[in-house]
Amino acid sequence: MEIRLQGVEKVFGRGARTVRAVRALDLVIPSGEFVTLVGPSGCGKTTTLRMIAGLERPTAGRIFFGDRDVTDWEPRDRNVAMVFQNYALYPHMNVFRNLAYGLRVRRTAPEVIDRQVQDTARVLEIGSYLDRKPRELSGGQRQRVALGRAIVRNPAVFLMDEPLSNLDAKLRLTTRAELKRLHLELRTTTVYVTHDQLEAMTMSDRVAVMHDGVLQQYDGPAVLYERPVNTFVAGFIGSPPMNFLPATVERSQTGMALQVAGVTVALPDPLRRALDQRAERRQVVLGVRPEHLRFQSPQVAGVLPARVFVVEPVGAETYVDLLVNGHRVVARVDADTAVSVDDKVGLVVDLRRIHLFDGETGQAIR
Ligand code: ATP
């Protein structure tokens, strides 16, 4: 089922206490896709999900399921199933009855209930504990039963709000993979809310990055990573995050170049052409991902002078925190790189992979 949001707004409160939780949101969630709404706390992602569910009425704009305008429909008429962070299972019912409950309420025939519960249990691999009570299950198993309750009804749309956030870190990883696998099997249109960019990146066909109620970018994970539209998206997607350094545009013999930390950096062609149309001495922000930095001797010409602040080994690789002209920068290097605190190093930037942003608006320069 395709979901379409058209100019959707949500305003809470009145007068001085007004909160514009969601502003002028246009979003198309293609049928069968897994789409994630991601952003920091308060950005409006839960409100958006609740409007899709029908639990919240938009202040303005329309919501379509396929070609039907559902804006004024009750939640129960929308054929959506929700999974929340706090999955409330019925404690006195075993797993089978927990799964069957929603179907019973709808007066589904017992043999149909039996088949749908068994099918769901097979998909979720919970078939071997259908007669256990929730208290006899681990947190991960309980969360699978909660998912099962959503799946068993075979809804047109799944809406999930941080369903993994109550699980411990390891279980979160395995359940994340299982959810993704499940989506590949069922292909039910899914809208997923999280503040965790890694969850968004790993599971989704498309990710909508929100900030202060405003959609910043809506793209596939690879595009978000490689072509962020502004400094907010660039800094939010990726871990450790993208490094930002203030820079000035200068004219050099070969066209426009950048002054960064007292060093002149030549630019690759497309960026140089983009900057040729801009005023000289203009302030920009240079964005570099941690994996696009390398170490050199500080004596080599053209390298950025840096001092090592801390070294953080994480196993397969090492994050090196550096100070460049008073700015903190993180480099992601091989675990066997010889580097110690207070070393003076030269940083080499992979110029083909840099990002430039307007110094005032933060918009990407391309
Ligand atoms: P979180 O990750 O913390 O849940 P979120 O991105 O999901 O954040 P929302 O819950 O959608 O954010 O909230 C967006 C804004 O709207 C916030 O400023 C919040 O305080 C406000 N808000 C949400 N619900 C209400 C409400 N019922 N009444 C008043 N303000 C609300």
Side-chain angles (χ1 to χ4, degrees):
M1 175 80 82
E2 180 192 83
I3 303 171
R4 204 150 37 90
L5 280 69
Q6 221 169 58
V8 168
E9 299 255 347
K10 182 67 189 180
V11 180
F12 290 110
R14 279 161 204 274
R17 309 232 346 240
T18 298
V19 179
R20 293 184 68 197
V22 177
R23 308 182 195 207
L25 179 59
D26 293 317
L27 196 65
V28 177
I29 295 156
S31 182
E33 285 200 5
F34 193 117
V35 167
T36 299
L37 312 176
V38 71
S41 185
C43 71
K45 51 198 189 293
T46 295
T47 302
T48 303
L49 194 77
R50 289 172 59 81
M51 289 192 286
I52 296 172
L55 299 171
E56 209 77 72
R57 177 68 68 88
T59 311
R62 309 304 298 177
I63 297 175
F64 297 87
F65 280 14
D67 45 23
R68 280 176 305 182
D69 184 336
V70 301
T71 317
D72 302 317
W73 291 19
E74 291 299 320
R76 64 169 178 275
D77 299 326
R78 295 190 185 200
N79 196 16
V80 301
M82 293 198 70
V83 183
F84 297 98
Q85 173 178 346
N86 300 309
Y87 38 90
L89 301 178
Y90 300 108
H92 57 287
M93 293 186 194
N94 66 18
V95 171
F96 185 97
R97 290 185 57 210
N98 262 287
L99 292 175
Y101 185 80
L103 298 171
R104 280 216 176 112
V105 172
R106 286 177 183 72
R107 305 189 182 288
T108 310
E111 61 278 10
V112 176
I113 294 183
D114 198 59
R115 195 180 62 238
Q116 285 183 224
V117 170
Q118 297 294 349
D119 281 353
T120 302
R122 184 183 46 73
V123 172
L124 290 171
E125 295 174 24
I126 52 178
S128 57
Y129 37 87
L130 283 177
D131 45 14
R132 288 203 212 162
K133 298 275 175 60
R135 66 167 182 279
E136 297 164 323
L137 302 175
S138 71
Q141 291 166 335
R142 269 182 234 153
Q143 184 58 308
R144 284 223 284 282
V145 177
L147 274 175
R149 281 203 310 198
I151 293 167
V152 76
R153 284 171 37 208
N154 195 19
V157 176
F158 286 133
L159 303 177
M160 305 193 184
D161 195 350
E162 308 247 7
L164 308 185
S165 61
N166 275 351
L167 305 178
D168 67 46
K170 187 149 172 257
L171 200 53
R172 207 151 57 220
L173 282 185
T174 49
T175 315
R176 187 173 91 194
E178 283 165 7
L179 258 184
K180 181 168 183 172
R181 175 79 212 183
L182 189 67
H183 178 255
L184 292 176
E185 271 171 46
L186 302 177
R187 292 282 175 196
T188 305
T189 309
T190 303
V191 190
Y192 187 98
V193 161
T194 180
H195 62 273
D196 181 346
Q197 60 90 24
L198 192 60
E199 230 168 82
M201 293 289 278
T202 50
M203 294 203 287
S204 319
D205 295 307
R206 278 168 226 254
V207 181
V209 183
M210 297 180 71
H211 179 46
D212 281 346
V214 179
L215 177 66
Q216 306 288 308
Q217 187 167 3
Y218 182 44
D219 268 314
V223 178
L224 282 183
Y225 196 76
E226 280 154 27
R227 296 174 68 81
V229 297
N230 58 29
T231 46
F232 178 81
V233 177
F236 190 77
I237 299 290
S239 176
M242 186 184 285
N243 299 296
F244 296 117
L245 287 168
T248 314
V249 178
E250 306 250 302
R251 188 171 294 284
S252 73
Q253 287 107 333
T254 52
M256 292 301 191
L258 281 189
Q259 277 283 332
V260 192
V263 176
T264 303
V265 177
L267 289 169
D269 265 342
L271 278 178
R272 203 168 54 211
R273 276 197 297 275
L275 286 179
D276 271 341
Q277 283 141 38
R278 291 171 179 246
E280 260 174 78
R281 305 221 46 85
R282 185 186 178 108
Q283 292 300 315
V284 293
V285 174
L286 169 66
V288 193
R289 296 225 178 257
E291 58 270 37
H292 300 143
L293 288 168
R294 249 176 345 98
F295 294 160
Q296 255 290 5
S297 153
Q299 274 84 40
V300 175
V303 300
L304 300 180
R307 187 167 61 77
V308 177
F309 186 65
V310 250
V311 180
E312 300 176 296
V314 289
E317 55 192 10
T318 296
Y319 304 154
V320 183
D321 254 60
L322 303 125
L323 280 168
V324 178
N325 213 11
H327 297 276
R328 288 281 279 280
V329 164
V330 176
R332 187 169 169 176
V333 298
D334 284 342
D336 55 10
T337 307
V339 60
S340 326
V341 169
D342 286 337
D343 278 358
K344 289 205 163 62
V345 298
L347 274 184
V348 182
V349 177
D350 182 348
L351 293 171
R352 293 161 310 172
R353 310 298 298 270
I354 60 172
H355 302 258
L356 285 187
F357 303 96
D358 186 283
E360 273 163 36
T361 64
Q363 296 299 310
I365 299 170
R366 296 214 170 105

